[in-house]
Amino acid sequence: MAPSLVLTGARVVLPTGVVDDGRVSVEGTRITAAGPAEAAAPAPAGAEVLDASGHWLVPGFVDLHNHGGGGASFAGSAEDALTAVRTHRAHGTTTLVASTVTDDLDLLARRAGLLSELAEQGEIAGIHFEGPFISPCRKGAHSEALLRDPDPAEVRKLLDAARGQARMVTLATELPGGLDSVRLLAEHGVIAAVGHTDASYEQTVEAIDAGATVATHLFNAMPPLGHRAPGPITALLEDERITVELIDDGVHLHPAALQLAFHHAGADRVAFITDAMDAAGAGDGRYLLGPLEVEVSDGVARLVEGGSIAGSTLTLDRAFQRAVTVDRLPVTDVVTAISANPARLLGLSDRIGSLEPGKDADLVLLDAEFAVKGVMRRGEWVVTPQLP
Protein backbone atom coordinates (compact mmCIF):
# COMPACT_ATOMS: atom_id res chain seq x y z
CA MET A 1 0.00 0.00 0.00
CA ALA A 2 1.38 3.42 -0.94
CA PRO A 3 2.18 5.85 1.91
CA SER A 4 -0.60 8.36 2.40
CA LEU A 5 1.97 11.11 3.01
CA VAL A 6 5.67 11.63 2.34
CA LEU A 7 7.46 14.58 3.97
CA THR A 8 10.72 15.46 2.24
CA GLY A 9 13.56 17.93 2.51
CA ALA A 10 13.39 18.70 6.23
CA ARG A 11 16.16 18.30 8.77
CA VAL A 12 14.85 15.17 10.44
CA VAL A 13 15.89 14.31 14.00
CA LEU A 14 16.22 10.54 14.30
CA PRO A 15 17.47 8.48 17.28
CA THR A 16 20.77 8.18 15.42
CA GLY A 17 21.14 11.94 14.85
CA VAL A 18 20.12 14.66 12.43
CA VAL A 19 19.55 13.91 8.75
CA ASP A 20 19.87 17.18 6.86
CA ASP A 21 17.84 16.10 3.84
CA GLY A 22 15.45 13.63 5.36
CA ARG A 23 12.29 11.89 4.41
CA VAL A 24 9.48 10.48 6.56
CA SER A 25 6.64 8.40 5.16
CA VAL A 26 3.28 7.98 6.88
CA GLU A 27 0.59 5.43 6.18
CA GLY A 28 -2.59 5.72 8.20
CA THR A 29 -1.64 6.27 11.83
CA ARG A 30 1.92 4.95 11.55
CA ILE A 31 5.36 5.97 10.34
CA THR A 32 6.47 3.56 7.63
CA ALA A 33 9.91 4.97 6.82
CA ALA A 34 12.32 7.58 8.19
CA GLY A 35 15.80 8.37 6.95
CA PRO A 36 17.90 10.18 4.33
CA ALA A 37 16.01 11.16 1.20
CA GLU A 38 18.83 9.90 -1.02
CA ALA A 39 18.51 6.39 0.40
CA ALA A 40 14.73 6.24 0.12
CA ALA A 41 12.78 4.67 -2.70
CA PRO A 42 10.81 7.07 -4.92
CA ALA A 43 7.44 8.11 -3.55
CA PRO A 44 4.82 5.73 -4.95
CA ALA A 45 2.18 7.06 -7.29
CA GLY A 46 -0.76 8.55 -5.46
CA ALA A 47 1.13 9.53 -2.33
CA GLU A 48 0.85 13.13 -1.13
CA VAL A 49 4.33 14.65 -1.10
CA LEU A 50 5.03 17.63 1.15
CA ASP A 51 8.26 19.54 0.59
CA ALA A 52 9.39 20.70 4.05
CA SER A 53 12.75 22.12 2.99
CA GLY A 54 14.07 24.71 5.42
CA HIS A 55 12.22 23.12 8.36
CA TRP A 56 12.94 20.70 11.18
CA LEU A 57 10.91 17.52 11.65
CA VAL A 58 10.91 16.13 15.20
CA PRO A 59 8.84 13.64 17.20
CA GLY A 60 5.67 14.81 18.94
CA PHE A 61 6.31 16.24 22.40
CA VAL A 62 5.43 14.27 25.54
CA ASP A 63 4.44 16.20 28.69
CA LEU A 64 4.58 14.28 31.97
CA HIS A 65 3.32 17.13 34.15
CA ASN A 66 0.48 19.40 33.02
CA HIS A 67 -2.44 20.89 34.95
CA GLY A 68 -4.32 22.61 32.11
CA GLY A 69 -4.41 25.20 29.35
CA GLY A 70 -6.66 27.20 27.11
CA GLY A 71 -8.45 28.62 30.15
CA ALA A 72 -9.41 25.15 31.41
CA SER A 73 -7.92 22.64 33.83
CA PHE A 74 -7.95 18.94 34.61
CA ALA A 75 -9.82 19.79 37.80
CA GLY A 76 -13.02 20.50 35.85
CA SER A 77 -15.37 18.64 33.54
CA ALA A 78 -14.43 16.26 30.76
CA GLU A 79 -14.92 19.09 28.26
CA ASP A 80 -12.59 21.29 30.31
CA ALA A 81 -9.97 18.55 30.20
CA LEU A 82 -10.36 18.19 26.44
CA THR A 83 -9.97 21.95 26.00
CA ALA A 84 -6.67 21.79 27.86
CA VAL A 85 -5.53 18.76 25.83
CA ARG A 86 -6.38 20.42 22.51
CA THR A 87 -4.63 23.63 23.51
CA HIS A 88 -1.37 21.80 24.14
CA ARG A 89 -1.72 19.60 21.05
CA ALA A 90 -1.74 22.75 18.93
CA HIS A 91 1.67 23.53 20.45
CA GLY A 92 3.16 20.14 19.59
CA THR A 93 2.31 18.06 22.67
CA THR A 94 0.86 14.93 21.13
CA THR A 95 1.02 12.92 24.39
CA LEU A 96 0.05 14.42 27.74
CA VAL A 97 -0.32 13.20 31.32
CA ALA A 98 -3.02 15.09 33.23
CA SER A 99 -1.84 16.37 36.61
CA THR A 100 -4.08 17.05 39.60
CA VAL A 101 -3.36 19.44 42.48
CA THR A 102 -3.96 19.00 46.19
CA ASP A 103 -7.62 18.74 47.13
CA ASP A 104 -9.97 16.72 49.30
CA LEU A 105 -9.09 13.03 48.91
CA ASP A 106 -12.62 11.96 47.96
CA LEU A 107 -12.80 14.73 45.38
CA LEU A 108 -9.45 13.64 43.92
CA ALA A 109 -10.73 10.08 43.71
CA ARG A 110 -13.82 11.23 41.79
CA ARG A 111 -11.64 13.35 39.51
CA ALA A 112 -9.43 10.33 38.87
CA GLY A 113 -12.48 8.40 37.72
CA LEU A 114 -13.34 11.08 35.16
CA LEU A 115 -9.74 11.39 33.92
CA SER A 116 -9.36 7.62 33.68
CA GLU A 117 -12.17 7.59 31.12
CA LEU A 118 -10.25 10.09 28.98
CA ALA A 119 -7.17 7.92 29.30
CA GLU A 120 -9.12 4.85 28.23
CA GLN A 121 -10.31 6.83 25.20
CA GLY A 122 -6.71 7.72 24.33
CA GLU A 123 -7.10 11.46 24.88
CA ILE A 124 -4.54 11.56 27.71
CA ALA A 125 -1.72 9.17 28.63
CA GLY A 126 -2.74 8.80 32.26
CA ILE A 127 -2.93 10.68 35.55
CA HIS A 128 -0.29 12.33 37.73
CA PHE A 129 -1.26 13.05 41.34
CA GLU A 130 0.72 16.06 42.57
CA GLY A 131 -0.40 16.26 46.17
CA PRO A 132 -1.87 15.94 48.71
CA PHE A 133 1.06 13.86 50.01
CA ILE A 134 3.56 16.71 50.10
CA SER A 135 5.43 18.78 52.67
CA PRO A 136 3.79 21.87 54.18
CA CYS A 137 7.30 23.35 54.27
CA ARG A 138 7.52 23.19 50.46
CA LYS A 139 3.87 23.34 49.48
CA GLY A 140 4.23 25.93 46.72
CA ALA A 141 0.79 26.54 45.17
CA HIS A 142 -0.99 23.83 47.16
CA SER A 143 -3.52 24.37 49.93
CA GLU A 144 -1.80 23.63 53.25
CA ALA A 145 -5.12 22.82 54.94
CA LEU A 146 -5.61 19.88 52.57
CA LEU A 147 -2.12 18.34 52.81
CA ARG A 148 -1.70 14.93 54.42
CA ASP A 149 0.99 12.38 55.12
CA PRO A 150 1.43 9.71 52.43
CA ASP A 151 -0.50 6.89 54.09
CA PRO A 152 -0.11 3.87 51.76
CA ALA A 153 -3.82 3.07 52.20
CA GLU A 154 -4.79 6.53 50.95
CA VAL A 155 -2.29 6.34 48.09
CA ARG A 156 -3.85 3.01 47.16
CA LYS A 157 -7.31 4.63 47.22
CA LEU A 158 -6.23 7.05 44.48
CA LEU A 159 -4.63 4.27 42.44
CA ASP A 160 -7.84 2.24 42.64
CA ALA A 161 -9.92 5.27 41.63
CA ALA A 162 -7.68 5.75 38.59
CA ARG A 163 -8.52 2.22 37.34
CA GLY A 164 -5.02 1.44 36.11
CA GLN A 165 -4.48 4.89 34.59
CA ALA A 166 -2.30 6.38 37.37
CA ARG A 167 1.15 7.06 35.92
CA MET A 168 2.88 9.12 38.62
CA VAL A 169 2.46 10.30 42.21
CA THR A 170 4.55 13.15 43.65
CA LEU A 171 5.47 12.58 47.30
CA ALA A 172 7.42 14.19 50.10
CA THR A 173 9.02 10.87 50.89
CA GLU A 174 10.43 12.01 54.24
CA LEU A 175 6.94 12.22 55.73
CA PRO A 176 5.45 9.33 57.75
CA GLY A 177 4.45 6.57 55.33
CA GLY A 178 6.54 8.05 52.53
CA LEU A 179 8.94 5.17 51.94
CA ASP A 180 6.20 2.56 52.22
CA SER A 181 4.16 4.55 49.70
CA VAL A 182 7.12 4.64 47.31
CA ARG A 183 7.39 0.86 47.57
CA LEU A 184 3.65 0.50 46.96
CA LEU A 185 3.84 2.64 43.84
CA ALA A 186 6.84 0.73 42.51
CA GLU A 187 5.02 -2.56 43.05
CA HIS A 188 2.10 -1.26 40.99
CA GLY A 189 4.24 0.09 38.16
CA VAL A 190 3.45 3.72 39.00
CA ILE A 191 6.22 6.32 39.02
CA ALA A 192 7.11 7.56 42.50
CA ALA A 193 8.34 11.14 42.10
CA VAL A 194 10.23 13.03 44.80
CA GLY A 195 8.87 16.57 45.00
CA HIS A 196 7.45 19.34 47.17
CA THR A 197 9.84 17.88 49.70
CA ASP A 198 11.91 19.08 52.64
CA ALA A 199 14.00 15.91 52.68
CA SER A 200 17.69 15.76 53.49
CA TYR A 201 20.26 14.24 51.17
CA GLU A 202 20.20 11.02 53.19
CA GLN A 203 16.40 10.80 53.21
CA THR A 204 16.31 11.32 49.45
CA VAL A 205 18.84 8.51 48.92
CA GLU A 206 16.53 6.27 50.98
CA ALA A 207 13.60 7.19 48.74
CA ILE A 208 15.57 6.36 45.60
CA ASP A 209 16.62 3.03 47.04
CA ALA A 210 12.95 2.35 47.87
CA GLY A 211 12.00 2.86 44.20
CA ALA A 212 11.59 6.57 43.40
CA THR A 213 12.61 7.31 39.80
CA VAL A 214 11.62 10.92 39.04
CA ALA A 215 12.38 14.35 40.52
CA THR A 216 9.32 16.59 40.27
CA HIS A 217 10.43 19.97 38.79
CA LEU A 218 14.00 19.75 40.10
CA PHE A 219 15.15 22.78 42.14
CA ASN A 220 11.59 24.04 42.65
CA ALA A 221 9.74 23.27 45.91
CA MET A 222 12.72 21.65 47.62
CA PRO A 223 15.66 22.82 49.78
CA PRO A 224 18.45 24.56 47.86
CA LEU A 225 21.77 22.87 47.31
CA GLY A 226 24.17 23.58 50.18
CA HIS A 227 27.81 22.69 50.65
CA ARG A 228 27.25 21.19 54.13
CA ALA A 229 23.65 20.12 53.60
CA PRO A 230 23.53 18.99 49.94
CA GLY A 231 19.83 18.18 50.22
CA PRO A 232 17.63 16.39 47.69
CA ILE A 233 18.99 18.19 44.62
CA THR A 234 22.41 16.56 44.91
CA ALA A 235 20.97 13.10 45.58
CA LEU A 236 18.58 13.38 42.63
CA LEU A 237 21.21 14.66 40.21
CA GLU A 238 23.87 12.11 41.06
CA ASP A 239 21.78 8.93 40.87
CA GLU A 240 21.45 7.35 37.45
CA ARG A 241 18.08 5.86 38.40
CA ILE A 242 16.48 9.31 38.53
CA THR A 243 15.05 11.35 35.66
CA VAL A 244 14.78 15.04 36.55
CA GLU A 245 11.89 17.22 35.39
CA LEU A 246 12.86 20.75 34.34
CA ILE A 247 10.60 23.73 33.59
CA ASP A 248 12.45 25.78 30.98
CA ASP A 249 10.36 28.94 30.90
CA GLY A 250 12.93 31.49 32.08
CA VAL A 251 10.98 31.93 35.34
CA HIS A 252 11.31 28.70 37.29
CA LEU A 253 15.03 28.21 36.61
CA HIS A 254 18.06 30.40 36.09
CA PRO A 255 19.81 29.29 32.89
CA ALA A 256 22.85 28.27 34.95
CA ALA A 257 20.70 25.90 37.03
CA LEU A 258 19.39 24.27 33.87
CA GLN A 259 22.93 23.88 32.55
CA LEU A 260 23.98 22.38 35.88
CA ALA A 261 21.23 19.76 35.63
CA PHE A 262 22.13 18.87 32.05
CA HIS A 263 25.83 18.67 32.89
CA HIS A 264 25.37 16.33 35.85
CA ALA A 265 22.37 14.27 34.76
CA GLY A 266 23.01 14.26 31.01
CA ALA A 267 20.34 14.56 28.33
CA ASP A 268 19.23 10.95 28.86
CA ARG A 269 18.03 11.77 32.38
CA VAL A 270 16.18 15.05 31.75
CA ALA A 271 12.48 15.45 30.97
CA PHE A 272 11.21 18.88 29.98
CA ILE A 273 7.73 19.54 31.38
CA THR A 274 5.36 22.49 31.38
CA ASP A 275 3.70 22.26 34.82
CA ALA A 276 1.15 24.37 32.93
CA MET A 277 -2.00 25.71 34.53
CA ASP A 278 -5.21 27.05 32.95
CA ALA A 279 -3.58 30.23 31.64
CA ALA A 280 -1.26 28.40 29.22
CA GLY A 281 -2.39 29.53 25.79
CA ALA A 282 -5.05 31.78 27.33
CA GLY A 283 -3.36 35.00 28.51
CA ASP A 284 -3.10 37.04 31.69
CA GLY A 285 -5.88 37.28 34.28
CA ARG A 286 -7.30 35.60 37.38
CA TYR A 287 -7.54 31.80 37.52
CA LEU A 288 -8.02 28.99 40.03
CA LEU A 289 -5.41 26.30 40.69
CA GLY A 290 -7.32 23.76 42.72
CA PRO A 291 -8.99 25.84 45.45
CA LEU A 292 -6.40 28.65 45.28
CA GLU A 293 -6.68 31.90 43.33
CA VAL A 294 -3.88 32.73 40.90
CA GLU A 295 -2.95 36.01 39.22
CA VAL A 296 -1.19 35.73 35.87
CA SER A 297 0.71 38.84 34.83
CA ASP A 298 3.13 39.02 31.88
CA GLY A 299 2.79 35.27 31.56
CA VAL A 300 3.94 34.55 35.13
CA ALA A 301 1.46 32.75 37.43
CA ARG A 302 1.55 33.52 41.16
CA LEU A 303 -0.79 32.89 44.05
CA VAL A 304 -2.89 35.93 44.91
CA GLU A 305 -2.25 35.17 48.58
CA GLY A 306 1.45 34.82 49.33
CA GLY A 307 2.83 35.30 45.83
CA SER A 308 4.27 31.80 45.32
CA ILE A 309 4.84 30.73 41.72
CA ALA A 310 1.74 28.73 40.75
CA GLY A 311 2.65 26.44 37.90
CA SER A 312 3.47 27.98 34.54
CA THR A 313 1.91 29.28 31.35
CA LEU A 314 4.45 27.31 29.34
CA THR A 315 3.80 25.18 26.27
CA LEU A 316 6.39 22.66 25.15
CA ASP A 317 7.03 24.37 21.81
CA ARG A 318 8.24 27.43 23.74
CA ALA A 319 10.37 25.19 25.95
CA PHE A 320 11.89 23.60 22.84
CA GLN A 321 12.60 26.96 21.23
CA ARG A 322 14.14 28.40 24.40
CA ALA A 323 16.28 25.31 25.02
CA VAL A 324 17.85 25.61 21.56
CA THR A 325 18.05 29.37 21.07
CA VAL A 326 18.66 30.66 24.62
CA ASP A 327 20.21 27.71 26.45
CA ARG A 328 22.13 26.65 23.33
CA LEU A 329 21.44 22.96 23.84
CA PRO A 330 21.91 20.62 20.87
CA VAL A 331 18.64 19.91 19.07
CA THR A 332 19.19 16.18 19.53
CA ASP A 333 19.45 16.61 23.32
CA VAL A 334 16.27 18.69 23.39
CA VAL A 335 14.38 16.03 21.43
CA THR A 336 15.65 13.41 23.86
CA ALA A 337 14.43 15.45 26.84
CA ILE A 338 11.10 16.53 25.36
CA SER A 339 10.04 13.33 23.59
CA ALA A 340 12.15 10.19 24.06
CA ASN A 341 12.75 10.31 27.81
CA PRO A 342 9.16 10.98 28.90
CA ALA A 343 7.97 8.30 26.47
CA ARG A 344 10.39 5.86 28.12
CA LEU A 345 9.20 6.77 31.61
CA LEU A 346 5.59 6.13 30.57
CA GLY A 347 6.51 2.76 29.08
CA LEU A 348 5.45 3.95 25.63
CA SER A 349 8.78 3.90 23.78
CA ASP A 350 7.50 1.21 21.45
CA ARG A 351 4.86 3.64 20.16
CA ILE A 352 6.02 7.22 20.60
CA GLY A 353 9.02 9.43 21.38
CA SER A 354 11.02 9.03 18.18
CA LEU A 355 10.64 9.00 14.41
CA GLU A 356 10.95 5.32 13.54
CA PRO A 357 9.04 2.90 11.31
CA GLY A 358 6.13 1.26 13.11
CA LYS A 359 5.63 4.03 15.64
CA ASP A 360 2.68 6.40 15.83
CA ALA A 361 2.83 9.21 13.28
CA ASP A 362 3.27 11.91 15.94
CA LEU A 363 5.28 14.67 14.27
CA VAL A 364 6.09 18.33 14.82
CA LEU A 365 7.26 20.54 11.96
CA LEU A 366 9.34 23.55 13.07
CA ASP A 367 10.68 26.44 11.01
CA ALA A 368 14.30 27.61 11.06
CA GLU A 369 13.58 29.64 14.24
CA PHE A 370 11.98 26.58 15.88
CA ALA A 371 8.43 27.89 15.77
CA VAL A 372 5.68 25.32 15.21
CA LYS A 373 4.41 25.15 11.64
CA GLY A 374 2.70 21.77 11.70
CA VAL A 375 1.57 19.14 14.22
CA MET A 376 0.48 15.62 13.35
CA ARG A 377 -0.98 13.16 15.86
CA ARG A 378 -1.53 9.55 14.88
CA GLY A 379 -1.43 10.43 11.21
CA GLU A 380 -3.87 13.36 11.35
CA TRP A 381 -2.89 17.01 11.18
CA VAL A 382 -3.73 18.93 14.34
CA VAL A 383 -2.01 21.98 12.85
CA THR A 384 -1.88 21.74 9.06
CA PRO A 385 1.36 23.17 7.65
CA GLN A 386 1.04 26.08 5.24
CA LEU A 387 4.16 25.67 3.11
CA PRO A 388 5.05 27.34 -0.17
Side-chain angles (χ1 to χ4, degrees):
M1 183 182 294
S4 57
L5 177 66
V6 179
L7 297 106
T8 66
R11 301 187 75 184
V12 179
V13 182
L14 302 175
T16 52
V18 178
V19 176
D20 285 332
D21 181 15
R23 194 167 100 164
V24 174
S25 299
V26 173
E27 172 61 43
T29 64
R30 303 284 182 178
I31 297 169
T32 55
E38 62 184 18
E48 179 186 356
V49 179
L50 185 66
D51 184 355
S53 299
H55 291 70
W56 291 83
L57 192 61
V58 300
F61 308 146
V62 182
D63 196 353
L64 291 170
H65 187 156
N66 188 310
H67 298 279
S73 81
F74 295 114
S77 65
E79 190 53 45
D80 289 336
L82 289 172
T83 295
V85 167
R86 290 165 186 151
T87 296
H88 286 279
R89 279 184 191 162
H91 291 274
T93 298
T94 51
T95 302
L96 180 150
V97 175
S99 300
T100 64
V101 293
T102 295
D103 216 321
D104 174 78
L105 199 67
D106 289 335
L107 182 59
L108 285 174
R110 291 196 297 273
R111 193 164 295 146
L114 182 149
L115 292 173
S116 67
E117 292 181 14
L118 294 179
E120 290 159 2
Q121 295 163 13
E123 298 290 350
I124 60 174
I127 306 164
H128 163 218
F129 295 101
E130 187 181 25
F133 310 116
I134 61 176
S135 172
C137 302
R138 305 285 174 178
K139 65 182 183 299
H142 291 255
S143 172
E144 185 168 355
L146 295 169
L147 299 183
R148 51 211 301 146
D149 290 339
D151 180 343
E154 294 188 340
V155 174
R156 180 61 186 267
K157 177 178 179 176
L158 292 184
L159 299 189
D160 290 345
R163 304 201 304 260
Q165 300 300 332
R167 296 290 173 261
M168 183 161 65
V169 178
T170 293
L171 305 162
T173 55
E174 75 278 8
L175 296 175
L179 294 180
D180 286 340
S181 292
V182 169
R183 296 185 187 103
L184 172 72
L185 292 168
E187 288 169 5
H188 285 79
V190 178
I191 296 166
V194 178
H196 287 277
T197 176
D198 203 42
S200 66
Y201 171 87
E202 292 78 13
Q203 288 171 322
T204 307
V205 169
E206 281 188 289
I208 298 169
D209 287 341
T213 55
V214 166
T216 293
H217 44 54
L218 187 74
F219 298 108
N220 298 114
M222 60 183 63
L225 191 155
H227 64 289
R228 291 193 182 93
I233 294 170
T234 302
L236 295 164
L237 278 177
E238 72 181 7
D239 199 301
E240 293 185 355
R241 293 171 288 182
I242 293 291
T243 299
V244 298
E245 294 181 348
L246 297 176
I247 307 171
D248 193 8
D249 62 352
V251 176
H252 282 77
L253 296 175
H254 189 283
L258 183 135
Q259 292 290 347
L260 178 74
F262 260 89
H263 177 75
H264 285 278
D268 288 339
R269 289 180 44 223
V270 171
F272 280 129
I273 62 163
T274 61
D275 194 15
M277 47 86 69
D278 308 27
D284 291 352
R286 288 276 179 114
Y287 297 86
L288 286 176
L289 185 61
L292 302 179
E293 194 170 15
V294 175
E295 177 77 34
V296 178
S297 179
D298 295 328
V300 179
R302 294 186 180 276
L303 290 182
V304 171
E305 185 176 338
S308 292
I309 293 177
S312 84
T313 61
L314 188 63
T315 49
L316 280 181
D317 58 334
R318 285 171 44 214
F320 193 113
Q321 189 176 49
R322 179 181 174 84
V324 176
T325 62
V326 177
D327 302 312
R328 301 295 179 184
L329 295 172
V331 173
T332 50
D333 284 357
V334 177
V335 168
T336 298
I338 214 164
S339 300
N341 289 344
R344 168 181 52 80
L345 284 168
L346 294 173
L348 297 176
S349 291
D350 60 329
R351 285 184 38 215
I352 62 171
S354 60
L355 301 181
E356 296 179 89
K359 293 194 176 183
D360 288 355
D362 292 354
L363 320 169
V364 181
L365 192 65
L366 305 167
D367 67 15
E369 284 74 43
F370 300 97
V372 168
K373 294 300 176 182
V375 179
M376 174 179 283
R377 181 176 185 268
R378 297 179 185 173
E380 294 187 6
W381 289 114
V382 176
V383 177
T384 303
Q386 302 296 320
L387 301 175

